[in-house]
Amino acid sequence: MPEPYESVYETIPGAHPYPRDSRYRDAEIGVHRDADGHEVRYVKRRLLPSLAEEDESAMPHTVSAGERHDHLGQRYFGDPGQWWRIADANPVIDPAELTAEPGREIRIPGAGGAGIGR
C-alpha cells in the first residue's frame, strides 16, 4: 500500500528522480559541472546485489519456449517493467538471457505476495 500522498510527491520535479518501482530508485545521483558552470545530473553506477545476500523467499521458475522477461515481470509482479528484479536475482545484464534457453531454471525473488502465480 503506497504511503498517503506518495503519488503527489512523485509529480514534483526533483522530489524523486525515479519512480518508487524503478531499479534506479536508490541509485546515487551524481552532478557534473562543466567549465561554464552548467550542471548535468547523472545516475552513478548501479551494482547488482551481492549473491551472498540471496533472497531466501526466491522461488524457481523453469523457462518455457516463447517466454520473455517482460512476461515474467507481469506474471510474478503484476508489472512487465519489473523484469529487472528477476534479472538482478539471477544475475544477468541482458534481460534476454533470462529466457533465451527453454528449460533453464531461474530464480524469482520474493514478490511480496501480489501477482505471484498469475
Side-chain angles (χ1 to χ4, degrees):
M1 180 83 181
E3 295 178 24
Y5 308 109
E6 181 177 67
S7 62
V8 173
Y9 288 124
E10 290 184 359
T11 63
I12 300 170
H16 295 286
Y18 292 95
R20 185 177 195 86
D21 60 353
S22 170
R23 64 180 150 170
Y24 299 110
R25 172 67 174 162
D26 295 323
E28 188 177 349
I29 304 297
V31 178
H32 170 77
R33 287 184 182 80
D34 62 19
D36 296 333
H38 183 255
E39 191 174 274
V40 177
R41 295 182 181 273
Y42 63 95
V43 178
K44 291 189 176 183
R45 186 184 320 195
R46 177 183 168 272
L47 300 175
L48 291 176
S50 168
L51 291 178
E53 300 171 10
E54 286 189 21
D55 182 355
E56 292 181 13
S57 66
M59 54 193 241
H61 173 87
T62 303
V63 174
S64 299
E67 274 188 312
R68 296 190 329 232
H69 59 279
D70 57 329
H71 294 163
L72 296 174
Q74 178 65 42
R75 178 175 178 187
Y76 291 104
F77 296 98
D79 178 357
Q82 295 300 300
W83 60 264
W84 63 268
R85 294 175 186 248
I86 302 166
D88 280 5
N90 284 283
V92 299
I93 294 174
D94 179 357
E97 290 178 50
L98 288 171
T99 55
E101 184 182 327
R104 176 184 178 192
E105 188 171 285
I106 60 174
R107 297 168 36 87
I108 306 296
I116 292 204
R118 281 192 197 179

